[in-house]
Amino acid sequence: MDRLKGKVALISGGARGQGAAEARLFTDEGARVVIGDIRDDLTRQTAEEINRRHPNAARAIHLDVTRAADWRAAVDSCVKEFGGLDILVNNAGIANMKGLEQTSEEEWDAVVNVNQKGVWLGMKAAVPAMRNRGGGSIINISSVFGIIGSTGSTAYHGTKGAVRLLTKAAAVQYGPDKIRVNSIHPGVILTPMVSEAITSQEQLDALLKMTPLGRGAQPEEVAWCAVFLASDEASFVTGSELVVDGGWTAQ
Ligand SMILES: NC(=O)c1ccc[n+]([C@@H]2O[C@H](COP(=O)([O-])OP(=O)(O)OC[C@H]3O[C@@H](n4cnc5c(N)ncnc54)[C@H](O)[C@@H]3O)[C@@H](O)[C@H]2O)c1
């Protein structure tokens, strides 16, 4: 119940999917959360739903992760509304399944801006506030596609691989500040991202065939791992990559 009691979290891309599941579980565990996303109505709805269960535990903010000014405002909101920042979940991401030659320069830049630059900007904005608190936990959401290749999704692979190493570089750099930095690598998680990108049952079945557990996961199954990494239970865990893929990359 109280695994995150007294902590303040900022979650990017928290309007729906895994980010919303993290916001719900974090507040169930006693944290207060600022949810940032570009889907303003849905962000507000998610925060309102949480506040009905845990009064005043959630705030919604417009956050485009590609914009440094939005990140500064989001971190300021954590400090002004809740007194500081302890946890950052760099969760916002966009999919692109195109292969190397099929990807346009505009598509490449869009995926890199959100999935890679957004993670860097988020850490850059959060670190000073965490330092003021005497430490913190940053959780960067990568993917199994940040560990292994596939026949498409070239830009996505590139960015998620970058997030894996950005995480380790930040873990080394900010260890002395007691800021832990870890990555999570989800496999097939049944969120709107998957239902929008995977349009046929055959496509989904092909992905699930690669998963030894034989199913896709609910977003909460990733969010519980984020709760662990955010909590003091993970006090000696930094620079690590937590694979949450039903066994996909074990084979
Ligand atoms: N679903 C999966 O199978 C899967 C697998 C591996 C990794 N991931 C990663 O998990 C994370 C969460 O994905 P999800 O499955 O919940 O997807 P989702 O599409 O349901 O949620 C992603 C959220 O990010 C937000 N977002 C997009 N661009 C943004 C921007 N510029 N600024 C702020 N917010 C923005 C969207 O509005 C959305 O609310 C992503 O980083 C994704 O790449 C997902």
Side-chain angles (χ1 to χ4, degrees):
M1 278 292 286
D2 286 337
R3 295 167 71 188
L4 301 177
K5 197 175 161 71
K7 294 189 191 292
V8 179
L10 172 58
I11 302 174
S12 73
R16 67 179 198 182
Q18 294 172 56
E22 279 145 12
R24 291 189 192 101
L25 289 189
F26 280 22
T27 48
D28 287 349
E29 292 297 334
R32 286 166 298 167
V33 296
V34 173
I35 306 170
D37 204 294
I38 48 173
R39 291 174 205 270
D40 295 332
D41 288 346
L42 197 53
T43 315
R44 249 189 321 269
Q45 282 168 34
T46 302
E48 280 165 12
E49 176 219 307
I50 289 172
N51 284 330
R52 281 196 287 278
R53 279 191 298 153
H54 304 292
N56 278 319
R59 296 277 188 283
I61 194 163
H62 177 85
L63 168 65
D64 179 343
V65 294
T66 67
R67 299 174 65 91
D70 283 11
W71 273 113
R72 282 195 293 274
V75 171
D76 282 352
S77 162
C78 294
V79 174
K80 281 201 195 96
E81 302 271 345
F82 294 137
L85 177 64
D86 305 289
I87 302 159
L88 168 66
V89 187
N90 266 316
N91 163 80
I94 56 173
N96 185 308
M97 295 170 72
K98 293 193 180 165
L100 190 146
E101 290 169 274
Q102 290 73 37
T103 305
S104 70
E105 211 173 327
E106 289 72 28
E107 288 168 325
W108 174 270
D109 288 343
V111 176
V112 169
N113 274 334
V114 176
N115 294 3
Q116 183 174 336
K117 184 181 176 190
V119 168
W120 165 65
L121 283 176
M123 293 197 286
K124 187 173 175 175
V127 158
M130 289 183 172
R131 216 187 259 122
N132 285 343
R133 295 280 262 197
S137 171
I138 297 175
I139 299 159
N140 294 328
I141 306 300
S142 175
S143 169
V144 291
F145 277 17
I147 300 175
I148 55 169
S150 74
T151 52
S153 303
T154 308
Y156 190 79
H157 278 293
T159 58
K160 293 300 185 178
V163 168
R164 176 173 171 267
L165 252 296
L166 259 175
T167 299
K168 293 184 198 302
V172 173
Q173 198 173 336
Y174 295 107
D177 292 305
K178 299 185 176 53
I179 299 171
R180 298 183 293 103
V181 193
N182 294 286
S183 56
I184 291 182
H185 300 260
V188 181
I189 316 299
L190 302 172
T191 65
M193 177 182 277
V194 164
S195 51
E196 285 166 12
I198 312 284
T199 45
S200 72
Q201 188 59 41
E202 292 73 47
Q203 269 182 305
L204 183 61
D205 287 345
L207 280 180
L208 297 184
K209 240 175 140 175
M210 294 194 260
T211 306
L213 287 183
R215 65 175 178 85
Q218 294 304 314
E220 289 72 22
E221 297 181 87
V222 177
W224 279 120
C225 299
V227 167
F228 167 67
L229 290 173
S231 78
D232 296 338
E233 296 160 21
S235 51
F236 205 53
V237 183
T238 194
S240 80
E241 44 193 281
L242 180 47
V243 172
V244 189
D245 68 349
W248 184 341
T249 54
Q251 50 203 334

